[in-house]
Amino acid sequence: MGVSSRTWSVSELLSGLRDRAERSGRRLIDLGQGAPVDPTPELVTAELAAAADWPGYPPAQGIEEVRTAYCRWAARRWGTHLSATDVVTTVGSKEFIATLPWLMGLSRSDLVAIPELAYPTYAAGAHLAGCRVVATPPDIGALDAIRPRLLWLNTPGNPTGESLTAVQLTEIVAWARERGITVVSDECYIELTPPGPPATSILSPEVNGGRFDNLVAVHSLSKRSNMAGYRIGFASGDPKFLAQLQQSRRDAGLIAAGPIQRAAVKALADDDHVFRLQQQYAERRAVLRTGLTAVGWQVQHSEAGLFIWATAGESDAKTSARLADLGILVAPGGFYGSTGDQHVRLSLTASLTDLVEVGARLLAAEQ
């Protein structure tokens, strides 16, 4: 396990740009980070309060009620048939992503494949375990040339908002099974899609044929229920793989708090707040997209998730600095991979009023 001087945190990366935006003399509009700002559902906060008296330790795998609630949620979304033994609760999804290569026992001889444009924690976790890392598109030809031990997918993706199709996922699953490769699909944004049919999951029977061998899906309540501060997520899929992993997780004390798990039961059982959130983000996405395209920017993908992925046809450093001078904070795209160095990521975790104001400031600056 090594220590790196690389910046893995977007908040750390943005500190200089934040200072510049605050010196602009304009009211700061923060589109740099993807932390939810809308209220946690009342049914969740009420259950948390009701469950607060919890003097003992919760089960390491998670209480049965929350794992069962997760299975029912997956069945509603994709017709997936999971049992509670196929599910592990996590302390949010980030800790699972960061610790997985280490807990799998991977080392410097092992290769971990991550998305070409990606949330940095996939690489950070591999680095902590001493693994080699390669960034690659989700293409069978490219993957076959490298043969990783662990393959990370992210759908819908951060930063791009691109969702993998059922055809793409099916091909990857078949390829990985033939070679004994573990595929872990980070799907923490999977319910932040436009209102309508859900995005395809690696848990979808059409993708996996009703079997979970070699497959793990990672989900979180941070974004779909505005529960980022609760730190609760789930890993599900290959029961043999998860059972072995859970022994190490238990020994490391990676256990979600009991009252939080009780609150998560309520969140998973309720779809109405999610549908309202989908509509809210769809409205925000449309407003911000309109403001960007009005000044000639190109918006790419961005159909799901919390972000707009866009380019003004110049370097990410120039764009992010130019916006900071307008009091607008955004994340430079190169932070997520070298192919993003002419893009910026803009978060939708802002009010409609602020997103309209972003468009107005950009338009005024062009005149």
Side-chain angles (χ1 to χ4, degrees):
M1 185 178 292
V3 176
S4 172
S5 60
R6 173 180 166 174
T7 297
W8 300 106
S9 165
V10 68
S11 60
E12 183 179 342
L13 172 78
L14 293 177
S15 60
L17 286 169
R18 182 181 295 278
D19 291 344
R20 183 167 179 163
E22 289 175 343
R23 292 195 303 269
S24 71
R26 312 291 290 271
R27 181 176 62 84
L28 176 66
I29 300 178
D30 187 350
L31 306 184
Q33 293 186 265
V37 294
D38 301 299
T40 303
E42 186 177 350
L43 60 89
V44 172
T45 59
E47 184 65 15
L48 178 64
D53 184 13
W54 196 301
Y57 294 105
Q61 190 174 1
I63 61 174
E64 186 171 357
E65 295 93 330
V66 78
R67 290 181 287 118
T68 299
Y70 174 91
C71 294
R72 290 172 178 164
W73 166 76
R76 292 196 307 275
R77 290 293 176 271
W78 304 290
T80 302
H81 298 292
L82 288 164
S83 70
T85 56
D86 301 331
V87 183
V88 171
T89 59
T90 65
V91 190
S93 59
K94 187 171 186 175
E95 67 85 352
F96 183 86
I97 293 167
T99 61
L100 182 60
W102 168 56
L103 293 175
M104 286 177 66
L106 304 187
S107 63
R108 68 180 59 189
S109 63
D110 297 310
L111 184 65
V112 175
I114 67 173
E116 195 171 27
L117 287 165
Y119 172 64
T121 305
Y122 309 120
H127 178 83
L128 287 170
C131 303
R132 295 175 294 132
V133 181
V134 62
T136 180
D139 173 80
I140 297 300
L143 291 170
D144 211 34
I146 58 174
R147 298 291 183 93
R149 282 283 306 279
L150 171 62
L151 170 61
W152 280 108
L153 304 177
N154 182 207
T155 181
N158 174 11
T160 65
E162 181 180 12
S163 297
L164 298 178
T165 66
V167 171
Q168 287 175 300
L169 288 169
T170 301
E171 289 178 348
I172 291 170
V173 166
W175 171 86
R177 283 174 170 164
E178 288 174 0
R179 292 157 180 80
I181 294 168
T182 299
V183 180
V184 184
S185 183
D186 176 9
E187 300 175 353
C188 71
Y189 298 104
I190 201 156
E191 292 211 272
L192 297 187
T193 56
T200 304
S201 168
I202 205 168
L203 296 178
S204 302
E206 63 179 314
V207 168
N208 59 42
R211 298 164 30 224
F212 303 120
D213 46 306
N214 296 86
L215 310 177
V216 175
V218 180
H219 295 112
S220 168
L221 299 184
S222 293
K223 312 303 191 298
R224 63 87 76 182
S225 297
N226 293 327
M227 292 173 63
Y230 284 57
R231 310 313 304 138
I232 180 83
F234 305 90
S236 64
D238 189 324
K240 183 178 179 181
F241 177 86
L242 289 174
Q244 294 172 343
L245 191 69
Q246 182 53 32
Q247 294 181 26
S248 299
R249 289 181 56 80
R250 176 200 62 205
D251 295 341
L254 297 172
I255 305 170
I260 300 295
Q261 294 187 51
R262 289 295 317 172
V265 173
K266 293 293 186 181
L268 287 165
D270 182 68
D271 295 328
D272 288 344
H273 77 276
V274 179
F275 297 154
R276 289 193 296 270
L277 199 62
Q278 288 175 343
Q279 184 62 49
Q280 192 172 34
Y281 279 122
E283 292 171 358
R284 293 173 180 175
R285 192 182 310 278
V287 165
L288 185 54
R289 182 188 289 268
T290 298
L292 296 174
T293 56
V295 293
W297 287 39
Q298 291 184 355
V299 175
Q300 298 176 344
H301 305 302
S302 306
E303 64 266 17
L306 280 184
F307 310 105
I308 291 283
W309 182 244
T311 178
E314 61 192 11
S315 74
D316 59 346
K318 184 174 182 179
T319 301
S320 57
R322 187 158 58 87
L323 266 64
D325 290 338
L326 298 176
I328 303 166
L329 185 63
V330 300
F335 177 68
Y336 302 95
S338 60
T339 60
D341 62 2
Q342 289 203 338
H343 292 74
V344 292
R345 192 195 75 171
L346 302 96
S347 173
L348 299 172
T349 54
S351 68
L352 278 176
T353 300
D354 278 354
L355 296 177
V356 169
E357 175 68 14
V358 168
R361 291 185 191 181
L362 288 172
L363 190 60
E366 293 290 319
Q367 296 173 346

